[in-house]
């Protein structure tokens, strides 16, 4: 089983590297700017965050391809019935790390710094939201007077 895991990770890595090298130049960025749940939750969408980075055309193409490859690899992992849930989770975690590293490699130092700041802000907002939800649950559990 360990050898199987290693082979799958290597296969995914190789597939991702080959796909990343074969960048398609005309596909639009994923996401639809006309429908966005950022208006409801006040959170910026991935597209809005990418726009804030002021990427070059080549960077946009590389990131688009990276996201497409990542999605295809995710679907491959999830549809593989020979893997256990734990194996799938391990492979998905590895894929996320690899995708993040590839994404960061596309960015300039300034863009990477800005991306990390946006990432930290998202994490902070998520933590604040969780704290607020916990507080609301606690308030709701208090006995009525």
């Amino acid at each position: 089983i360990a050898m199987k895991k290693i082979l799958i990770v290597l296969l995914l890595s190789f597939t991702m590297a080959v796909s990343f090298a074969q960048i398609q130049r005309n596909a639009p960025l994923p996401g639809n700017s006309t429908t966005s749940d950022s208006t409801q939750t006040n959170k910026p969408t991935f597209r809005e965050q990418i726009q804030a980075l002021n990427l070059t055309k080549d960077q946009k193409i590389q990131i688009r391809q990276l996201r497409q490859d990542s999605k295809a690899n995710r679907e491959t992992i999830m549809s593989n019935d020979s893997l256990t849930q734990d194996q799938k989770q391990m492979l998905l975690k590895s894929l996320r790390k690899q995708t993040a590293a590839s994404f960061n490699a596309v960015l300039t130092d300034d863009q990477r710094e800005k991306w990390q700041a946006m990432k930290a802000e998202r994490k902070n907002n998520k933590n604040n939201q969780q704290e607020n939800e916990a507080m609301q649950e606690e308030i709701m559990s208090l006995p009525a007077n």
Side-chain angles (χ1 to χ4, degrees), residues 21-131:
Q22 298 174 348
I23 297 171
Q24 297 175 353
R25 297 202 173 261
N26 336 12
L29 272 174
N32 184 349
S33 61
T34 59
T35 60
S36 167
D37 44 345
S38 70
T39 55
Q40 295 173 352
T41 60
N42 217 14
K43 293 187 294 189
T45 63
F46 181 77
R47 177 179 282 267
E48 292 166 342
Q49 292 173 339
I50 290 295
Q51 288 174 344
L53 293 175
N54 297 319
L55 300 173
T56 65
K57 185 176 180 179
D58 286 340
Q59 286 175 312
K60 289 177 184 178
I61 291 168
Q62 290 174 340
I63 290 171
R64 179 182 316 115
Q65 186 64 45
L66 180 64
R67 292 187 74 205
Q68 290 171 346
D69 295 343
S70 178
K71 181 179 180 183
N73 286 332
R74 251 189 339 269
E75 290 171 355
T76 300
I77 292 169
M78 294 309 294
S79 65
N80 187 337
D81 294 332
S82 67
L83 298 172
T84 66
Q85 278 303 109
D86 288 342
Q87 290 170 326
K88 288 179 182 182
Q89 292 306 315
M90 181 198 68
L91 289 170
L92 289 172
K93 184 177 181 178
S94 174
L95 178 62
R96 279 191 300 272
K97 285 183 179 181
Q98 185 177 12
T99 302
S102 297
F103 178 82
N104 283 325
V106 171
L107 302 177
T108 65
D109 290 340
D110 290 340
Q111 290 168 328
R112 197 173 303 111
E113 192 175 304
K114 190 171 186 177
W115 179 253
Q116 293 303 324
M118 287 189 282
K119 191 174 168 182
E121 185 176 336
R122 285 191 314 267
K123 186 175 182 176
N124 185 35
N125 288 342
K126 183 178 178 182
N127 288 340
N128 288 341
Q129 181 181 0
Q130 289 173 342
E131 288 174 12

